[in-house]
C-alpha cells in the first residue's frame, strides 16, 4: 500500500517549514504516524470513536458514545476493530465540547410571525462582529418527512406521519400522488415547497466572546429570501401567469415585490428574450447549497439542483435553446406552476445580509450550472479571482477572472467586479509520469464565442475503466453536449445530447473543429448553458466538486473536495484523473469515494491559464489501497490557525448499510466485488466531521471530531471566534420518525491491515433529532443550525 511522508503531507497544506522541523523517520499509511506520549498530549480534544478503524485510534484515547450526552474513554490499541457499535440519534461531539441548537426549521423569528425558518439548512455565512451580526443560512431542497408528497417520496411511506403538520401547525394537501391533487391543492403544496428553500437571514448575538449565541427574534432585518420572492411581478405579464401571484391565503403566501435581478451578458442578451416577458426581473432563488462570504460583507449563495422533472418536481427546465432561453416548461414542475423560466435559475446569487435594501442579484459571468460553492482570492490592486464547482457527475471545475481591479477589499463597490470578466473551465491533463499518478498539469479554457470546440472522446475519458475490463454504464464515458439540428441525426435545437462510446464515431465530427459561436447566438447564451458549452471546448469532466477553498497560507493553492467518482446519467468523470469504480475483486483495491485535490496556479496572481494539480487523499476505508479513512468529502473550511476541517456527504440510502424507507433493507457490502461499490460507504456510519491540524506534533493526522444524527448531512461550517456554526441537514430523511425502530445488522469491514472482519451495528431507523433533546423523544426531526464550543471556553475553538 502507498506511503506518504509527513513532510509531503504538510507541504500539501502549505506548511513546508513545519514539515522540515517535524518530519518523522517512521511513516505510516496515509494520515497515520507513530506518536509518542508527549506528542499525543498536544491534541486539543478527545477524538470521537467512529465505527470504522482509523490509524489515530492506535495512538490516541478516544470517546465512545454510550448514549445521548454520555460516553466512555477508550485507550489506544493496536487492534482498532470494534465488534459492536451503537449509533445514537444526536450530534456527538468530544467530551470537552458542547453542542446547542441555535435555530431550526419552523422557528418563527421574523417580524411577520407567520414567516418561518426554512427547511434543509446547508451553507452558513456570517457578517458581523465576534458577538453580534447576521447569519445567512441556505435551504437546499425538501424531502420526506417534510411531507408525504415531497419529491421522490416512496409510496410505502404513506401510512406514516409527516413532520410539516406538527412543526408548522397546519397540514399540507395530500393524495395518493401529486397528479391526484386538485389545482388549488397542487399550488399550495408546490408553493410551500418553494417557500421552504432559498435563504433565511437572522441576527444572532451573545453577551461576550465566550457565551452562547442566540437568535434575536423579530429583528427588523431578519428575513426570508425564498423560491417565490417577488411573485407579485407576475401581474406585469401578458400570458396565462398574470394572475399567479400567491399560493395560499396566509400573509406570507401573498406575492411581494422582492424580486431578484441579473447582471452580465445573460441579463442583457438572454433575459430580454425570456418567455415570461419580465426582462431582468427574476422570481425567487431556490435550490441553494453552498456559497461564500466576501471581505466587503456580502454573501454569495449557490443555486444547485435546479433541474426539474416529473419525479423531482421542485425545479425548472435545465435545457436551453441556442439563444439561451429554456426549451419549454416541464409539465408537473414548480417552474410550470408559477411560470419560472429555466434560464433564470442555476446561478450564483449575491446578497447583503445587513442591508435589506440591496436587491439580490444573479451574476451571469459566473455561469449557469449546478453551483456548489465559491472561493475567492481578493487582493487590493489585483483582479478578483473566484473558483467554483459544478456538483454533478461529470461536472466541471471553474475559475472567473474579473475585468476590473479590486480597490479596498472592504469596499462594497467591489461587487461590480462580478459583472464583467471571463469564465474559464479547467482542463486536467492526465499524469505524464506513470510513477506519479497523483499529479499532472492543466489549463484554463475560456468560455467565449471564439473559443474552438474540441470535445473529449468518451472512449478516452473512460479508458482506465475499459482497460480494467468494466462494461456497461461504467465504460460508456458519457459526454453531455448541446443538441443541435443536423448534428448526429438530431432534428431539434436545444437541450442535451449524450455522446458515448457507442456513438462517438458518428456523433463527434459534427461537434469538432468549430467555435462556440457555431452553437450559441450570444455570450449570454453560452453562460446559460455553461456545462454543455464546457464539454464542447474540452473541459475535464470531474468527480462532483462540492467545495473549493483557497489556501490562506498560499493563495496560489486551491483545495478541491471531489465527492464521488462514480459515473451516472448526468455525466462521466475522466477516469485517467479520478477513480470511477473498484477495478478488481481484490478486497483492498482502491474505492471510488472521491478525494481531496489541489490546483497550484502557475501565475503569481492566479489570473494565468496554466496550473499543476495534485491528488492528496483518495476516499475509501483506511485499509484499502490509498484509502484516507473517509468517504464522500464535502465542505472544507480553514480555521483561524490554518487547520483544515471537513465534513462528509454520504448518500442517505447507504448510511450504516441500510436503505431508506420503513423496512430499512440492508444493502450489500461485498469487498470481493468490483465495479460500482458505492455501498461501501455504509461502513462509515453516519456523516461525520474531521479535523486535520497543519502545525504542531499532530500535523497531518485525520482527527474525528463529530458525527450527526441518522440519515443527516452536516454542512456549512463557519467559525466565529470560539464557536463553530454548523448545519444539520435532513435528519431522518426518507424514513419514518414514529414509531421509531432499531435496525441491526452485521457489516463487513476492512481492518487497517487489509483483512476483513464483521461488526454488529445497531442504528435508529430514522431520527427524532432535535425534538428528542428538547423534551419530545418521539417528535419530528427538524433540519437545524447548531453552535459547538468548548465547555470551558478560552476564546478559541481549538
Amino acid at each position: 500500500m502507498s506511503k506518504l511522508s509527513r513532510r509531503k503531507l504538510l507541504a500539501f497544506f502549505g506548511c513546508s517549514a513545519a514539515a522540515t522541523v517535524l518530519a518523522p523517520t517512521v511513516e505510516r499509511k496515509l494520515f497515520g504516524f507513530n506518536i509518542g506520549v508527549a506528542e499525543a498530549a498536544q491534541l486539543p480534544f478527545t477524538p470521537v470513536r467512529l465505527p470504522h478503524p482509523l490509524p489515530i485510534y492506535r495512538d490516541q484515547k478516544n470517546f465512545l458514545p454510550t448514549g445521548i450526552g454520555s460516553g466512555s474513554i477508550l485507550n489506544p490499541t493496536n487492534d482498532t476493530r470494534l465488534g459492536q457499535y451503537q449509533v445514537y440519534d444526536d450530534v456527538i461531539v468530544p467530551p470537552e465540547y458542547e453542542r446547542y441548537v441555535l435555530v431550526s426549521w419552523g422557528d418563527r423569528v421574523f417580524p411577520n410571525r407567520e414567516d418561518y425558518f426554512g427547511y434543509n439548512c446547508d451553507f452558513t455565512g456570517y457578517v458581523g462582529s465576534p458577538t453580534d451580526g447576521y447569519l445567512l443560512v441556505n435551504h437546499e431542497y425538501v424531502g420526506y418527512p417534510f411531507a408525504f408528497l415531497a419529491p421522490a417520496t416512496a409510496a410505502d411511506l404513506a401510512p406514516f406521519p409527516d413532520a410539516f403538520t406538527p412543526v408548522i401547525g397546519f397540514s399540507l394537501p395530500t393524495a395518493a400522488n401529486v397528479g391526484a391533487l386538485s389545482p388549488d391543492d397542487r399550488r399550495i403544496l408546490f408553493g410551500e415547497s418553494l417557500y421552504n428553500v432559498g435563504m433565511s437571514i437572522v441576527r444572532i448575538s451573545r453577551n461576550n466572546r465566550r457565551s452562547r449565541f442566540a437568535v434575536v427574534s423579530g429583528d427588523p432585518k431578519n428575513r426570508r429570501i425564498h423560491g417565490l420572492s417577488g411573485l407579485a411581478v407576475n401581474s406585469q405579464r401578458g400570458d396565462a401567469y398574470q394572475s399567479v401571484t400567491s399560493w395560499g391565503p396566509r400573509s406570507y403566501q401573498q406575492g411581494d415585490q422582492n424580486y431578484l435581478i441579473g447582471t452580465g451578458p445573460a441579463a442583457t442578451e438572454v433575459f430580454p428574450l425570456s418567455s415570461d416577458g419580465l426582462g431582468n426581473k427574476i422570481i425567487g432563488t431556490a435550490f441553494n447549497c453552498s456559497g461564500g462570504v466576501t471581505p466587503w460583507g456580502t454573501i454569495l449563495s449557490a443555486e444547485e439542483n435546479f433541474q426539474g422533472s416529473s419525479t423531482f418536481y421542485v425545479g425548472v427546465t435545465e435545457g436551453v435553446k441556442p439563444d439561451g432561453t429554456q426549451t419549454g416548461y416541464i409539465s408537473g414542475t414548480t417552474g410550470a406552476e408559477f411560470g419560472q423560466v429555466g434560464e433564470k435559475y442555476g446561478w450564483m446569487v449575491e446578497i447583503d445580509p445587513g442591508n435589506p435594501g440591496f436587491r439580490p442579484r444573479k451574476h451571469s459571468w459566473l455561469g449557469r450550472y449546478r453551483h456548489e460553492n465559491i472561493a475567492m482570492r481578493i487582493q487590493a490592486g489585483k483582479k478578483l479571482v473566484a473558483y467554483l464547482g459544478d456538483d454533478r457527475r461529470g461536472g466541471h471545475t471553474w475559475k472567473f477572472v474579473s475585468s476590473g481591479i479590486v480597490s479596498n477589499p472592504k469596499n462594497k463597490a467591489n461587487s461590480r467586479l462580478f459583472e464583467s470578466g471571463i469564465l474559464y473551465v479547467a482542463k486536467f491533463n492526465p499524469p505524464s509520469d506513470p510513477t506519479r499518478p497523483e499529479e499532472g498539469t492543466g489549463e484554463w479554457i475560456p468560455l467565449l464565442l471564439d473559443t474552438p470546440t474540441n470535445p473529449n472522446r468518451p472512449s478516452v475519458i473512460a479508458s482506465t475503466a475499459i482497460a480494467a475490463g468494466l462494461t456497461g454504464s461504467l465504460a460508456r464515458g458519457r459526454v453531455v453536449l448541446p443538441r443541435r439540428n443536423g448534428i448526429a441525426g438530431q432534428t431539434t435545437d436545444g437541450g442535451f445530447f449524450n455522446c458515448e462510446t457507442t456513438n462517438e464515431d458518428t456523433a463527434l465530427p459534427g461537434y469538432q473543429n468549430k467555435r462556440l459561436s457555431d452553437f450559441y447566438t450570444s455570450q449570454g447564451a453560452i453562460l446559460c448553458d455553461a456545462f454543455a458549452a464546457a464539454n464542447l471546448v474540452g473541459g475535464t469532466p470531474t468527480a462532483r466538486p462540492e467545495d473549493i477553498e483557497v489556501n490562506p497560507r498560499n493563495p496560489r493553492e486551491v483545495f478541491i473536495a471531489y465527492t464521488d467518482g462514480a459515473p451516472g446519467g448526468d455525466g462521466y468523470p475522466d477516469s485517467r484523473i479520478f477513480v470511477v469504480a473498484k477495478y478488481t475483486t481484490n478486497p483492498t483495491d482502491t474505492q471510488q469515494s472521491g478525494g481531496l485535490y489541489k490546483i497550484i496556479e502557475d501565475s503569481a496572481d492566479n489570473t494565468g491559464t496554466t496550473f499543476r494539480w495534485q491528488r492528496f487523499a483518495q476516499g475509501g476505508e483506511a485499509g484499502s489501497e490509498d484509502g484516507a479513512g473517509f468517504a464522500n468529502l464535502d465542505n472544507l473550511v480553514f480555521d483561524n490557525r490554518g487547520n483544515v476541517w471537513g465534513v462528509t456527504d454520504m448518500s442517505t440510502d447507504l448510511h450504516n448499510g441500510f436503505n431508506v424507507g420503513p423496512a430499512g433493507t440492508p444493502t450489500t457490502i461485498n469487498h470481493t466485488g468490483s465495479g460500482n461499490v458505492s455501498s461501501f460507504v455504509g461502513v462509515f456510519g453516519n456523516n461525520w466531521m474531521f479535523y486535520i491540524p497543519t502545525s504542531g506534533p499532530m500535523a497531518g493526522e485525520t482527527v474525528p471530531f463529530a458525527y450527526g444524527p441518522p440519515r443527516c448531512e452536516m454542512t456549512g461550517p463557519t467559525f466565529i471566534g470560539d464557536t463553530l456554526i454548523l448545519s444539520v441537514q435532513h435528519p431522518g430523511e426518507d424514513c419514518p420518525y414514529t414509531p421509531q425502530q432499531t435496525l441491526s445488522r452485521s457489516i463487513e469491514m476492512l481492518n487497517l491491515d487489509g483483512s476483513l472482519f464483521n461488526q454488529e451495528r445497531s442504528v435508529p431507523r430514522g431520527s427524532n433529532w432535535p425534538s428528542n433533546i428538547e423534551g419530545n423523544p418521539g417528535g419530528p426531526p427538524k433540519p437545524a443550525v447548531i453552535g459547538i464550543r468548548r465547555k470551558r471556553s478560552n476564546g478559541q475553538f481549538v
Side-chain angles (χ1 to χ4, degrees):
M1 297 181 184
S2 68
K3 305 287 184 179
L4 198 61
S5 71
R6 195 179 209 183
R7 182 186 300 270
K8 188 172 183 180
L9 285 165
L10 296 178
F12 184 88
F13 288 111
C15 312
S16 56
T20 301
V21 175
L22 299 170
T25 57
V26 179
E27 299 177 356
R28 186 183 293 165
K29 191 174 177 291
L30 184 61
F31 296 140
F33 303 97
N34 288 333
I35 306 293
V37 174
E39 290 181 317
Q42 299 297 317
L43 255 188
F45 58 84
T46 307
V48 169
R49 186 52 163 98
L50 302 172
H52 59 285
L54 286 173
I56 194 171
Y57 299 137
R58 290 173 169 168
D59 305 302
Q60 296 288 322
K61 291 184 177 182
N62 45 91
F63 175 69
L64 176 69
T66 57
I68 293 179
S70 64
S72 60
I73 302 298
L74 301 182
N75 288 319
T77 175
N78 285 328
D79 185 358
T80 60
R81 297 173 298 174
L82 287 181
Q84 294 182 326
Y85 195 89
Q86 171 70 52
V87 174
Y88 294 97
D89 188 15
D90 194 10
V91 177
I92 305 297
V93 297
E96 298 86 358
Y97 285 76
E98 66 172 354
R99 52 89 186 100
Y100 62 93
V101 176
L102 184 60
V103 62
S104 59
W105 172 48
D107 285 356
R108 301 183 186 274
V109 294
F110 303 96
N112 178 357
R113 303 301 290 188
E114 287 196 326
D115 274 314
Y116 60 88
F117 196 78
Y119 200 72
N120 267 353
C121 313
D122 202 291
F123 169 80
T124 67
Y126 179 77
V127 175
S129 75
T131 58
D132 192 283
Y134 288 94
L135 180 72
L136 181 146
V137 182
N138 278 351
H139 304 294
E140 186 178 0
Y141 66 96
V142 294
Y144 186 83
F146 171 84
F148 168 62
L149 292 181
T153 300
D156 58 3
L157 288 165
F160 298 92
D162 65 29
F164 189 93
T165 304
V167 172
I168 306 303
F170 65 92
S171 297
L172 288 178
T174 190
N177 53 64
V178 172
L181 291 172
S182 70
D184 289 344
D185 283 350
R186 184 179 66 246
R187 182 155 299 172
I188 290 173
L189 175 67
F190 281 19
E192 212 62 20
S193 297
L194 280 174
Y195 175 80
N196 273 273
V197 296
M199 292 168 257
S200 293
I201 298 169
V202 295
R203 181 183 168 197
I204 60 174
S205 186
R206 58 181 174 179
N207 294 329
N208 56 63
R209 291 172 182 255
R210 300 185 182 184
S211 61
R212 287 183 173 187
F213 277 103
V215 172
V216 181
S217 183
D219 186 271
K221 293 182 182 179
N222 290 359
R223 62 196 187 275
R224 289 295 318 279
I225 303 172
H226 52 79
L228 291 176
S229 290
L231 184 63
V233 300
N234 265 348
S235 64
Q236 302 172 22
R237 298 170 69 151
D239 59 14
Y241 292 102
Q242 188 177 49
S243 62
V244 182
T245 58
S246 67
W247 68 93
R250 293 172 172 80
S251 59
Y252 72 92
Q253 296 171 332
Q254 311 306 304
D256 56 34
Q257 293 292 328
N258 296 324
Y259 59 87
L260 291 78
I261 58 174
T263 72
T268 58
E269 298 171 345
V270 178
F271 296 171
L273 307 177
S274 296
S275 62
D276 62 7
L278 295 175
N280 197 27
K281 294 178 179 178
I282 304 170
I283 298 170
T285 177
F287 333 107
N288 305 78
C289 195
S290 189
V293 180
T294 70
W296 53 89
T298 62
I299 294 179
L300 292 155
S301 174
E303 295 182 326
E304 190 192 1
N305 286 302
F306 62 94
Q307 69 282 3
S309 68
S310 58
T311 301
F312 296 94
Y313 64 76
V314 183
V316 297
T317 303
E318 183 175 26
V320 297
K321 296 179 288 190
D323 65 0
T325 63
Q326 69 175 16
T327 54
Y329 292 111
I330 298 174
S331 178
T333 64
T334 55
E337 183 71 24
F338 295 101
Q340 295 173 304
V341 291
E343 63 268 23
K344 294 185 176 180
Y345 305 89
W347 302 101
M348 189 63 69
V349 188
E350 188 178 18
I351 305 97
D352 188 340
N355 179 12
F358 179 93
R359 191 174 293 280
R361 55 211 57 189
K362 303 189 180 188
H363 292 302
S364 69
W365 263 118
L366 300 181
R368 175 178 175 264
Y369 43 87
R370 301 176 195 176
H371 280 272
E372 178 68 29
N373 82 314
I374 185 169
M376 292 160 280
R377 179 177 181 180
I378 297 170
Q379 183 178 352
K382 303 290 185 179
K383 293 185 176 184
L384 181 153
V385 181
Y387 297 89
L388 311 99
D390 180 3
D391 182 11
R392 65 187 294 161
R393 301 188 189 280
H396 300 290
T397 305
W398 305 85
K399 179 170 80 170
F400 167 79
V401 179
S402 68
S403 298
I405 303 299
V406 175
S407 59
N408 179 347
K410 300 291 186 180
N411 189 337
K412 290 195 175 184
N414 288 317
S415 290
R416 298 295 300 271
L417 296 175
F418 292 114
E419 300 180 14
S420 178
I422 297 177
L423 180 67
Y424 297 86
V425 64
K427 178 179 177 60
F428 294 80
N429 297 319
S432 58
D433 184 350
T435 67
R436 303 175 70 89
E438 73 284 353
E439 60 184 57
T441 62
E443 61 182 292
W444 295 104
I445 304 174
L447 263 68
L448 300 172
L449 284 164
D450 63 354
T451 301
T453 62
N454 184 27
N456 289 292
R457 182 170 285 272
S459 59
V460 172
I461 66 169
S463 57
T464 303
I466 293 171
L470 300 182
T471 59
S473 62
L474 291 174
R476 68 187 177 192
R478 174 171 290 182
V479 176
V480 180
L481 300 170
R483 181 189 294 123
R484 291 296 182 264
N485 186 20
I487 298 179
Q490 300 166 70
T491 58
T492 58
D493 282 323
F496 304 112
F497 171 77
N498 293 325
C499 184
E500 302 181 354
T501 53
T502 56
N503 62 11
E504 63 182 14
D505 289 339
T506 57
L508 280 180
Y511 289 102
Q512 294 169 327
N513 302 315
K514 297 182 178 179
R515 298 187 181 276
L516 287 181
S517 57
D518 293 315
F519 296 87
Y520 300 98
T521 62
S522 67
Q523 179 65 52
I526 292 173
L527 297 171
C528 284
D529 203 25
F531 169 67
N535 282 333
L536 267 178
V537 299
T540 296
T542 69
R544 294 185 55 202
E546 286 220 49
D547 201 4
I548 300 179
E549 297 293 334
V550 174
N551 187 349
R553 286 190 168 99
N554 180 0
R556 286 176 55 200
E557 298 183 340
V558 183
F559 295 91
I560 310 169
Y562 288 108
T563 292
D564 188 1
D570 290 345
Y572 194 109
D574 191 328
S575 67
R576 300 170 300 170
I577 313 294
F578 305 95
V579 178
V580 302
K582 184 169 177 283
Y583 296 131
T584 74
T585 59
N586 187 333
T588 61
D589 193 24
T590 301
Q591 299 168 13
Q592 70 200 31
S593 305
L596 178 59
Y597 285 61
K598 182 172 72 174
I599 281 175
I600 307 101
E601 293 277 17
D602 290 334
S603 56
D605 62 358
N606 294 41
T607 63
T609 58
T610 60
F611 61 86
R612 293 177 291 122
W613 64 265
Q614 295 176 355
R615 185 184 73 223
F616 172 55
Q618 171 64 39
E621 293 170 88
S624 68
E625 188 74 24
D626 299 328
F630 55 72
N632 305 128
L633 180 63
D634 190 343
N635 297 138
L636 299 170
V637 65
F638 288 89
D639 63 25
N640 62 0
R641 296 182 176 181
N643 303 305
V644 178
W645 297 77
V647 293
T648 65
D649 181 14
M650 298 179 293
S651 296
T652 305
D653 59 349
L654 299 172
H655 288 193
N656 291 288
F658 291 101
N659 209 327
V660 293
T665 305
T667 57
T668 300
I669 300 176
N670 175 16
H671 285 81
T672 60
S674 62
N676 187 343
V677 290
S678 59
S679 61
F680 281 9
V681 304
V683 306
F684 296 99
N686 296 0
N687 277 312
W688 53 289
M689 184 176 198
F690 59 83
Y691 159 72
I692 302 178
T694 55
S695 62
M698 294 299 298
E701 288 273 11
T702 293
V703 185
F705 179 80
Y707 76 68
R711 312 290 187 179
C712 92
E713 177 189 352
M714 296 192 294
T715 64
T718 293
F719 288 103
I720 312 174
D722 72 344
T723 299
L724 169 65
I725 302 295
L726 191 67
S727 290
V728 180
Q729 186 181 110
H730 59 73
E733 183 173 59
D734 290 331
C735 291
Y737 68 87
T738 185
Q740 190 56 272
Q741 294 184 4
T742 298
L743 303 175
S744 298
R745 66 163 296 177
S746 177
I747 291 185
E748 182 183 86
M749 307 175 71
L750 276 177
N751 198 4
L752 294 179
D753 62 4
S755 63
L756 294 171
F757 72 98
N758 286 285
Q759 179 187 89
E760 298 301 317
R761 183 88 56 88
S762 296
V763 58
R765 177 178 61 180
S767 175
N768 300 105
W769 187 92
S771 295
N772 62 341
I773 63 171
E774 297 174 331
N776 186 9
K782 296 182 291 183
V785 179
I786 64 173
I788 303 176
R789 58 190 288 275
R790 297 187 74 90
K791 293 176 180 176
R792 297 182 178 180
S793 173
N794 60 4
Q796 298 289 329
F797 189 73
V798 292

